[in-house]
């Protein structure tokens, strides 16, 4: 059963996701990042290239010929063909249809009221279905 970790009160979802990717890659995990739309996908792609001067976070967009060989795959289409099913980082405001394919999912919730409301709805959705949930509140900076 998919383990689901909620991270709420996140000031910058893109930068937070980059930190999660860095930590997961240090543990040799394969990651899929689900963006809410094309603009967020582009921002995520750019952030992963520029996140750290000392570290390289190899990534491609889903559908790329190298996706199966690349540890981090980005998409804004939850129905995209995905080569990895270890970790899903959800930056969208909806419950991904195929989240149960993953061993673990991170739900990233900002301090924005609409994002918090959508996050609470997703939390209840998973809770009602018996998924193991944890909740971490990011510290204000």
């Amino acid at each position: 059963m998919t383990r689901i970790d909620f991270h709420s009160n996140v000031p910058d979802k893109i930068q937070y996701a980059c930190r999660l990717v860095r930590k997961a890659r240090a543990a040799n995990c394969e990651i899929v990042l689900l963006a809410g739309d094309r603009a967020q996908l582009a921002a995520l792609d750019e952030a992963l290239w520029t996140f750290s001067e000392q570290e390289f976070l190899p990534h491609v967009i889903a559908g790329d010929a190298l996706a199966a060989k690349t540890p981090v795959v980005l998409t804004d289409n939850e129905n995209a063909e995905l080569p990895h099913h270890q970790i899903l980082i959800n930056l969208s405001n909806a419950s991904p249809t195929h989240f149960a394919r993953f061993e673990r999912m991170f739900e990233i919730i900002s301090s924005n009221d609409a994002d918090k409301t959508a996050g609470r709805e997703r939390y209840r959705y998973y809770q009602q279905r018996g998924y193991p949930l944890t909740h971490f509140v990011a510290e204000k900076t």
Side-chain angles (χ1 to χ4, degrees), residues 13-15 17-18 21 33-52 56-62 64 70 72-76 91:
K13 289 172 79 165
I14 301 290
Q15 289 300 307
C18 289
V21 168
L33 290 111
L34 177 61
D37 56 34
R38 292 242 179 237
Q40 190 179 50
L41 181 69
L44 193 53
D45 182 33
E46 177 67 24
L48 285 168
W49 284 114
T50 60
F51 178 65
S52 174
F56 176 61
L57 299 173
H59 65 282
V60 295
I61 304 295
D64 187 282
T70 306
V72 181
V73 176
L74 314 178
T75 187
D76 64 343
L91 299 171

Side-chain angles (χ1 to χ4, degrees), residues 74-90:
L74 314 178
T75 187
D76 64 343
N77 175 3
E78 66 175 282
N79 294 313
E81 187 71 29
L82 300 171
H84 311 310
H85 296 99
Q86 192 170 15
I87 294 177
L88 173 63
I89 298 175
N90 184 22

